[in-house]
Amino acid sequence: MSALEKVILADREYIADIRHDLHAHPELGYAERRTNGVVRRELAIVGVEHVDGLAGGTGVLAYLPASTKPDSALTIALRADMDALPITENTGKPYASQSLGVMHACGHDGHTSILIGTARALSKVERPNNILLVFQPAEEGGAGGRKMCEEGVLNGAVLGKPVDRIFGLHGFPLLGVGQIATRKGALLASADGFEITIRGKGGHAAMPHFGIDPIVVASHIVVALQTIASRNVSPLDAIVVTVGRIDAGTAHNIIPDEAHLIGTLRALHKATRELGEKRITQIATDIAHALGAEARIEWLHGYPVTWNDGEATDDFRRAVEPAFGEALVAEEVEPVMGAEDFSFYGERVPACFYWLGLLSKGMDRYPNLHATDFDFNDAALPVGIKAMCSLALADYAHLKTSSGEFAARG
Ligand code: NI
């Protein structure tokens, strides 16, 4: 067992206690004030320099410089998200949420604890690289990651040096404890919301010829939207167009003036995302026109595709396979049509996001993310810390050219 593994093992209970404490006190996006306090306290205990008050106040950026020559060392960033979800917990655990209606149902308590454990372990060993630890708020829809980027956490403006590589993880119920997995290219989808307002002409349900029925128009649009996946996008690519809500009408004998369609668009490529938006807009507008109505579309642009850079993903494998053994690093996994705001970091620097297995031996299934019975698996904490430390301490010499300059930065 390496010295690092001993340090991680010795911290097992300490980190699990932190996770239980965070789990008992979940906080929604941009309100992670207590969580922020725990992160700062733990960084201070091991003397890790950090800047507080980022991304609306609760974001923290910590820095561990390379042990020798930090000016010429490469800089590796590791990211954790800290927010919880508006769900009422139903785990029955002794450390269950003490805040009614708020719960760590996505395991961000685990992610934050892993990055705290990583800071503790890295503070005790020689480091060939500069390491930035990104504790971000508001992953669940609030785009805290974008704010962290915009405030300069990746370019050395806040603390440390410009980032050469960034890595992040998420607990994954379908993978065994001890395993990690990722893939090159899209790991998670982009996610955009749309709202279509169809303006017709209301009147008596028994005299439809005097009006323009927006419900009939909306129905045609919903059906026609299905052709985007089936006729516009390659069968080998993936897209989701879901209308999740239809609002129209008040009574059986009235044709309303308006109908509303609310939905989501998901894609695994930027070009497919753009095509989806164009086709939804065209189909809604032109079908409404053909039937004598008007359609107005509002877009709520969400997260981009979480895209794993090819070289950063090779670096990931090179770093973790010696520590885990090839058998524990799963083969290329399928992408997931959920979304992640880690994608904003990946738009700026070479990035790799990976799954950390949560399913214990002997379990048939692990509770789903965002479910009321979900709880991060403590057994996965040291595994996540080991993976993050391996990435932080790996040899990235191939990124430097013979002249000592960085071959690729940003
Ligand atoms: Ni999550």
Side-chain angles (χ1 to χ4, degrees):
M1 193 189 296
S2 72
L4 182 71
E5 279 177 297
K6 276 184 196 149
V7 170
I8 295 172
L9 207 63
D11 256 0
R12 260 186 107 106
E13 275 181 40
Y14 186 88
I15 296 302
D17 286 346
I18 289 175
R19 212 242 341 141
H20 298 169
D21 176 56
L22 294 178
H23 192 91
H25 302 94
E27 295 167 306
L28 295 176
Y30 296 121
E32 307 93 337
R33 283 177 286 277
R34 187 182 180 282
T35 309
N36 163 288
V38 171
V39 169
R40 284 187 293 118
R41 180 193 74 207
E42 292 303 319
L43 292 170
I45 287 173
V46 285
V48 174
E49 185 186 4
H50 56 277
V51 171
D52 182 34
L54 299 168
T58 53
V60 179
L61 184 68
Y63 183 54
L64 292 111
S67 307
T68 54
K69 297 192 186 161
D71 283 339
S72 60
L74 287 157
T75 301
I76 307 303
L78 308 171
R79 170 274 205 174
D81 41 12
M82 303 187 289
D83 57 324
L85 284 158
I87 302 176
T88 299
E89 179 160 355
N90 186 26
T91 62
K93 295 278 172 78
Y95 52 83
S97 171
Q98 295 175 18
S99 308
L100 190 66
V102 185
M103 175 193 175
H104 269 299
C106 201
H108 299 185
D109 51 337
H111 306 166
T112 302
S113 305
I114 284 170
L115 210 55
I116 288 171
T118 303
R120 288 176 60 83
L122 293 176
S123 72
K124 297 178 179 108
V125 295
E126 289 288 309
R127 297 176 300 270
N129 307 308
N130 300 316
I131 298 142
L132 279 166
L133 305 177
V134 181
F135 294 90
Q136 73 151 79
E139 191 287 319
E140 299 288 357
R146 180 169 58 201
K147 283 199 183 177
M148 295 294 275
C149 291
E150 287 168 356
E151 289 178 19
V153 302
L154 297 177
N155 60 21
V158 177
L159 185 63
K161 306 283 219 178
V163 169
D164 295 286
R165 290 282 185 270
I166 185 164
F167 300 97
L169 63 72
H170 206 295
F172 202 60
L174 300 178
L175 204 64
V177 166
Q179 281 200 297
I180 49 178
T182 192
R183 75 190 302 273
K184 285 186 188 178
L187 186 67
L188 290 117
S190 59
D192 299 306
F194 60 86
E195 182 166 349
I196 305 171
T197 302
I198 299 141
R199 181 91 198 151
K201 187 163 173 283
H204 201 295
M207 292 171 246
H209 54 299
F210 290 134
I212 297 165
D213 188 344
I215 293 180
V216 172
V217 177
S219 305
H220 276 279
I221 291 173
V222 171
V223 173
L225 290 177
Q226 309 311 312
T227 63
I228 298 172
S230 68
R231 303 290 92 174
N232 299 145
V233 171
S234 160
L236 302 178
D237 195 0
I239 193 167
V240 174
V241 180
T242 292
V243 174
R245 183 170 153 188
I246 302 180
D247 293 327
T250 52
H252 73 280
N253 56 356
I254 300 169
I255 292 171
D257 284 321
E258 281 192 356
H260 299 270
L261 302 176
I262 296 165
T264 185
L265 165 67
R266 312 265 169 144
L268 293 178
H269 293 94
K270 191 164 173 263
T272 313
R273 180 192 195 189
E274 287 164 3
L275 174 80
E277 176 168 342
K278 201 176 116 201
R279 289 299 295 145
I280 290 171
T281 306
Q282 268 177 349
I283 285 171
T285 310
D286 292 352
I287 285 185
H289 268 161
L291 300 175
E294 292 288 330
R296 195 180 69 240
I297 303 187
E298 278 172 67
W299 283 94
L300 247 171
H301 291 117
Y303 297 167
V305 177
T306 300
W307 189 263
N308 281 341
D309 175 80
E311 287 179 20
T313 309
D314 285 338
D315 290 338
F316 169 83
R317 288 198 174 270
R318 238 190 314 265
V320 299
E321 275 179 357
F324 281 79
E326 274 177 44
L328 294 176
V329 183
E331 288 295 308
E332 284 252 313
V333 287
E334 297 264 286
V336 171
M337 297 310 279
E340 241 296 333
D341 83 344
F342 184 78
S343 48
F344 290 109
Y345 304 96
E347 285 191 326
R348 289 163 173 86
V349 294
C352 178
F353 195 65
Y354 62 99
W355 303 129
L356 176 72
L358 296 179
L359 185 70
S360 288
K361 268 208 181 82
M363 279 179 105
D364 283 345
R365 64 170 280 276
Y366 202 82
N368 253 324
L369 298 170
H370 294 207
T372 58
D373 59 344
F374 179 88
D375 180 34
F376 196 89
N377 192 338
D378 286 333
L381 295 170
V383 185
I385 296 169
K386 187 169 143 187
M388 284 304 197
C389 287
S390 303
L391 291 161
L393 302 173
D395 182 357
Y396 295 90
H398 60 284
L399 293 184
K400 297 183 183 182
T401 61
S402 51
S403 67
E405 291 299 309
F406 299 124
R409 168 162 271 170

